[in-house]
Short mmCIF file of all heavy atoms in Angstrom, two decimals:
data_model
loop_
_atom_site.label_atom_id
_atom_site.label_comp_id
_atom_site.label_asym_id
_atom_site.label_seq_id
_atom_site.Cartn_x
_atom_site.Cartn_y
_atom_site.Cartn_z
N PHE B 69 -17.42 -19.73 17.98
CA PHE B 69 -18.30 -19.98 19.11
C PHE B 69 -19.48 -19.01 19.12
O PHE B 69 -19.50 -18.04 18.36
CB PHE B 69 -17.50 -19.86 20.41
CG PHE B 69 -16.33 -20.81 20.47
CD1 PHE B 69 -15.06 -20.40 20.08
CD2 PHE B 69 -16.50 -22.13 20.87
CE1 PHE B 69 -13.98 -21.27 20.11
CE2 PHE B 69 -15.43 -23.01 20.90
CZ PHE B 69 -14.17 -22.58 20.51
N SER B 70 -20.43 -19.26 20.00
CA SER B 70 -21.65 -18.43 20.02
C SER B 70 -21.36 -16.98 20.38
O SER B 70 -22.13 -16.09 20.05
CB SER B 70 -22.66 -19.02 21.00
OG SER B 70 -22.11 -19.11 22.30
N ASN B 71 -20.23 -16.72 21.03
CA ASN B 71 -19.89 -15.32 21.36
C ASN B 71 -19.02 -14.69 20.25
O ASN B 71 -18.43 -13.64 20.46
CB ASN B 71 -19.16 -15.25 22.70
CG ASN B 71 -17.84 -16.02 22.69
OD1 ASN B 71 -17.49 -16.65 21.69
ND2 ASN B 71 -17.13 -15.99 23.81
N SER B 72 -18.95 -15.36 19.11
CA SER B 72 -18.21 -14.94 17.91
C SER B 72 -16.71 -15.15 18.00
O SER B 72 -16.01 -14.99 17.00
CB SER B 72 -18.49 -13.47 17.55
OG SER B 72 -19.81 -13.32 17.09
N ARG B 73 -16.20 -15.50 19.15
CA ARG B 73 -14.77 -15.82 19.23
C ARG B 73 -14.46 -16.99 18.30
O ARG B 73 -15.32 -17.86 18.08
CB ARG B 73 -14.39 -16.18 20.66
CG ARG B 73 -12.88 -16.30 20.89
CD ARG B 73 -12.57 -16.57 22.36
NE ARG B 73 -12.94 -17.92 22.76
CZ ARG B 73 -12.17 -18.98 22.61
NH1 ARG B 73 -10.98 -18.86 22.04
NH2 ARG B 73 -12.59 -20.16 23.03
N SER B 74 -13.29 -16.98 17.73
CA SER B 74 -12.95 -18.03 16.77
C SER B 74 -11.60 -18.64 17.10
O SER B 74 -10.73 -17.99 17.72
CB SER B 74 -12.91 -17.44 15.35
OG SER B 74 -12.54 -18.41 14.40
N GLU B 75 -11.43 -19.87 16.73
CA GLU B 75 -10.16 -20.55 16.86
C GLU B 75 -9.82 -21.19 15.52
O GLU B 75 -10.72 -21.60 14.77
CB GLU B 75 -10.22 -21.66 17.91
CG GLU B 75 -10.31 -21.19 19.33
CD GLU B 75 -10.35 -22.34 20.33
OE1 GLU B 75 -10.56 -23.50 19.91
OE2 GLU B 75 -10.18 -22.06 21.53
N MET B 76 -8.53 -21.26 15.23
CA MET B 76 -8.11 -22.06 14.10
C MET B 76 -7.08 -23.07 14.59
O MET B 76 -6.33 -22.81 15.53
CB MET B 76 -7.56 -21.23 12.94
CG MET B 76 -6.27 -20.51 13.18
SD MET B 76 -5.50 -20.02 11.61
CE MET B 76 -4.75 -21.54 11.08
N ASN B 77 -7.10 -24.20 13.97
CA ASN B 77 -6.24 -25.30 14.37
C ASN B 77 -5.45 -25.78 13.16
O ASN B 77 -6.00 -25.87 12.05
CB ASN B 77 -7.11 -26.43 14.94
CG ASN B 77 -6.27 -27.57 15.47
OD1 ASN B 77 -5.85 -28.44 14.72
ND2 ASN B 77 -6.00 -27.56 16.76
N VAL B 78 -4.19 -26.05 13.39
CA VAL B 78 -3.37 -26.66 12.35
C VAL B 78 -2.79 -27.93 12.93
O VAL B 78 -2.11 -27.89 13.97
CB VAL B 78 -2.23 -25.74 11.87
CG1 VAL B 78 -1.54 -26.35 10.65
CG2 VAL B 78 -2.75 -24.35 11.54
N SER B 79 -3.07 -29.04 12.30
CA SER B 79 -2.56 -30.31 12.80
C SER B 79 -1.35 -30.73 11.97
O SER B 79 -1.13 -30.22 10.85
CB SER B 79 -3.64 -31.38 12.72
OG SER B 79 -4.03 -31.58 11.38
N THR B 80 -0.58 -31.64 12.51
CA THR B 80 0.60 -32.19 11.83
C THR B 80 1.39 -31.09 11.15
O THR B 80 1.54 -31.01 9.92
CB THR B 80 0.18 -33.25 10.78
OG1 THR B 80 -0.87 -34.06 11.31
CG2 THR B 80 1.36 -34.15 10.45
N LEU B 81 1.91 -30.19 11.96
CA LEU B 81 2.60 -29.01 11.45
C LEU B 81 3.77 -29.35 10.54
O LEU B 81 4.51 -30.31 10.78
CB LEU B 81 3.09 -28.16 12.62
CG LEU B 81 2.02 -27.33 13.33
CD1 LEU B 81 2.54 -26.84 14.68
CD2 LEU B 81 1.57 -26.18 12.46
N GLU B 82 3.90 -28.53 9.51
CA GLU B 82 5.03 -28.64 8.58
C GLU B 82 5.82 -27.33 8.64
O GLU B 82 5.29 -26.30 9.05
CB GLU B 82 4.50 -28.87 7.16
CG GLU B 82 3.67 -30.13 7.01
CD GLU B 82 3.11 -30.28 5.61
OE1 GLU B 82 3.35 -29.39 4.76
OE2 GLU B 82 2.41 -31.30 5.37
N LEU B 83 7.09 -27.42 8.20
CA LEU B 83 7.93 -26.22 8.23
C LEU B 83 7.28 -25.08 7.46
O LEU B 83 7.36 -23.91 7.85
CB LEU B 83 9.31 -26.53 7.65
CG LEU B 83 10.17 -27.51 8.42
CD1 LEU B 83 11.51 -27.73 7.71
CD2 LEU B 83 10.43 -27.05 9.86
#
Side-chain angles (χ1 to χ4, degrees):
Chain B
F69 302 95
S70 58
N71 61 358
S72 291
R73 190 177 71 86
S74 178
E75 289 181 346
M76 67 162 281
N77 184 277
V78 188
S79 62
T80 319
L81 284 164
E82 300 177 359
L83 294 179

